[in-house]
């Protein structure tokens, strides 16, 4: 087993293509195929098989993929520590985020980070809450932005954010100073998913309200487009990019979510990831009990 064989294994799964895996690693398609074959022979198992859309992991491949990523991550940490010893700070930081957070907060973080650490590459993957959780758990990303709490990870609270009602302009609720759960009893309601539904349902049920759900959607942009066309009303985070034609109204009682930064362990961070966390701490003016030093 070699590091390049592990890199090939991971790259094939991430790109779903021998050709694209080779382009990513600077190898020919033949070299990629040969490396995978040698890894399977060394381990004595079949890791994946081809289907119409690309490749699918065998059960043993699913289990070993996480360990392969861990080995590659540790190797990256070694290289970063060696570079740091020579007065350099290099590497790659992979961040998993949901679209609202990416648009509202990450531009400031990335701009500050690249001003201080121009030699460190940043990669951003966007998805729903469960996608991001699984990416972090499986080592596909180094840092995740997620609603807290998150029992599986070490976390750092970044901020609390209010929700607001989102209604079409001209809707009777748009003229109110605030909306309470009872206001949604008879309104066609668009339920926000991606992990928000339990919190929203709890807020509504605090006044024994069971809304008539007309849509249940993962992505806030889609939800707000539906609201704009008068297809329902909903609740969204105040940081959402509200389009023209949609009015927002404060909620009473307040509904809040806590957004945080999550890692698998604060004890095993690479220098590049520590550097990124230090920038998050600066931008959001928050501290760990023992802040990681880059």
């Amino acid at each position: 087993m070699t590091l390049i064989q592990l890199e090939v294994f991971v790259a094939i799964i991430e790109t779903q293509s021998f050709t694209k895996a080779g382009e990513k690693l600077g190898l020919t398609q033949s070299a990629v195929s040969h490396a995978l074959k040698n890894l399977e022979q060394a381990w004595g198992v079949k890791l994946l098989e081809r289907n119409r859309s690309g490749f699918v992991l065998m059960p043993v491949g699913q289990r070993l993929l996480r360990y392969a990523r861990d080995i590659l991550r540790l190797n990256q940490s070694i290289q970063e520590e060696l570079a740091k010893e020579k007065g350099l700070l290099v590497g790659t930081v992979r961040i998993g985020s949901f679209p609202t957070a990416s648009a509202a907060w990450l531009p400031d973080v990335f701009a500050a980070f690249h001003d201080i650490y121009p030699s460190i590459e940043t990669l951003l993957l966007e998805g729903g809450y469960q996608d991001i959780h699984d990416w972090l758990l499986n080592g596909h990303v180094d840092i995740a932005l997620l609603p807290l709490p998150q029992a599986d990870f070490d976390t750092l609270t970044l901020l609390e954010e209010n929700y607001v009602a989102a209604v079409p302009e001209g809707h009777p609720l748009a003229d109110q100073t605030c909306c309470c759960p009872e206001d949604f009893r008879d309104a066609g309601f668009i339920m926000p998913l991606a992990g928000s539904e339990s919190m929203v349902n709890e807020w509504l049920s605090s006044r024994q309200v069971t809304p008539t759900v007309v849509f249940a959607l993962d992505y806030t942009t889609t939800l707000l487009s539906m609201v704009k066309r008068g297809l329902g009303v909903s609740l969204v985070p105040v940081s959402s990019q509200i389009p023209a034609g949609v009015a927002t109204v404060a909620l009473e009682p307040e509904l809040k979510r806590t957004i945080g930064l999550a890692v698998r362990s604060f004890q095993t961070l690479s220098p590049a990831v520590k550097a990124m966390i230090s920038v998050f701490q600066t931008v959001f003016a928050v501290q760990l009990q023992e802040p990681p030093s880059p």
Side-chain angles (χ1 to χ4, degrees):
M1 180 187 75
T2 65
L3 288 174
I4 189 62
Q5 289 171 349
L6 296 181
E7 288 177 334
V8 164
F9 174 37
V10 172
I12 291 170
I13 295 304
E14 292 181 350
T15 64
Q16 289 293 295
S17 164
F18 275 4
T19 301
K20 291 179 181 178
E23 291 173 353
K24 181 177 181 178
L25 299 174
L27 300 173
T28 64
Q29 182 175 338
S30 175
V32 168
S33 178
H34 187 67
L36 177 65
K37 181 180 179 181
N38 285 346
L39 181 61
E40 290 180 326
Q41 288 178 344
W43 283 350
V45 296
K46 186 172 180 60
L47 296 171
L48 49 83
E49 62 181 13
R50 191 187 297 269
N51 62 17
R52 290 184 178 181
S53 60
F55 296 90
V56 60
L57 285 165
M58 306 298 286
V60 67
Q62 292 178 338
R63 298 193 300 271
L64 292 174
L65 179 62
R66 176 175 176 178
Y67 297 122
R69 283 176 170 151
D70 282 345
I71 291 170
L72 294 176
R73 178 175 54 81
L74 289 171
N75 179 65
Q76 178 181 308
S77 295
I78 291 171
Q79 300 306 317
E80 290 174 14
E81 287 289 356
L82 291 171
K84 181 181 176 182
E85 184 66 21
K86 299 172 184 177
L88 304 172
L89 196 56
V90 298
T92 301
V93 181
R94 302 161 300 169
I95 297 178
S97 178
F98 50 97
T100 303
S102 300
W105 306 307
L106 286 187
D108 289 342
V109 173
F110 284 168
F113 184 79
H114 289 301
D115 282 345
I116 304 170
Y117 304 106
S119 297
I120 300 179
E121 182 183 7
T122 53
L123 298 177
L124 175 63
L125 282 75
E126 286 188 328
Y129 296 155
Q130 189 61 51
D131 295 326
I132 299 165
H133 174 281
D134 292 345
W135 292 338
L136 183 58
L137 190 65
N138 295 325
H140 195 47
V141 299
D142 305 301
I143 297 172
L145 293 185
L146 286 166
L148 301 185
Q150 291 288 331
D152 294 329
F153 308 122
D154 287 351
T155 60
L156 171 66
T157 299
L158 298 177
L159 58 88
E160 280 195 337
E161 179 181 34
N162 284 316
Y163 272 68
V164 293
V167 303
E169 286 185 352
H171 190 281
L173 294 178
D175 295 327
Q176 298 185 183
T177 57
C178 64
C179 290
C180 62
E182 291 86 346
D183 290 318
F184 300 96
R185 192 184 304 277
D186 299 317
F189 192 75
I190 304 175
M191 179 64 71
L193 300 178
S196 299
E197 62 270 28
S198 59
M199 182 174 60
V200 169
N201 276 322
E202 184 177 345
W203 184 80
L204 292 166
S205 64
S206 68
R207 302 284 179 85
Q208 291 75 52
V209 172
T210 301
T212 301
V213 176
V214 292
F215 296 103
L217 301 172
D218 281 301
Y219 292 100
T220 304
T221 50
T222 306
L223 182 153
L224 288 170
S225 295
M226 297 292 191
V227 171
K228 180 178 179 178
R229 293 302 301 268
L231 298 174
V233 300
S234 191
L235 306 181
V236 298
V238 71
S239 62
S240 303
Q241 296 181 321
I242 306 298
V246 175
T248 59
V249 185
L251 300 179
E252 179 58 43
E254 290 184 336
L255 174 62
K256 295 184 177 183
R257 68 175 177 179
T258 302
I259 301 299
L261 173 156
V263 297
R264 290 170 66 179
S265 171
F266 282 128
Q267 306 305 313
T268 58
L269 302 176
S270 73
V273 174
K274 289 181 182 179
M276 177 61 81
I277 291 176
S278 73
V279 172
F280 269 98
Q281 291 175 266
T282 299
V283 171
F284 287 92
V286 295
Q287 291 292 324
L288 293 171
Q289 290 185 346
E290 296 182 4
S293 299

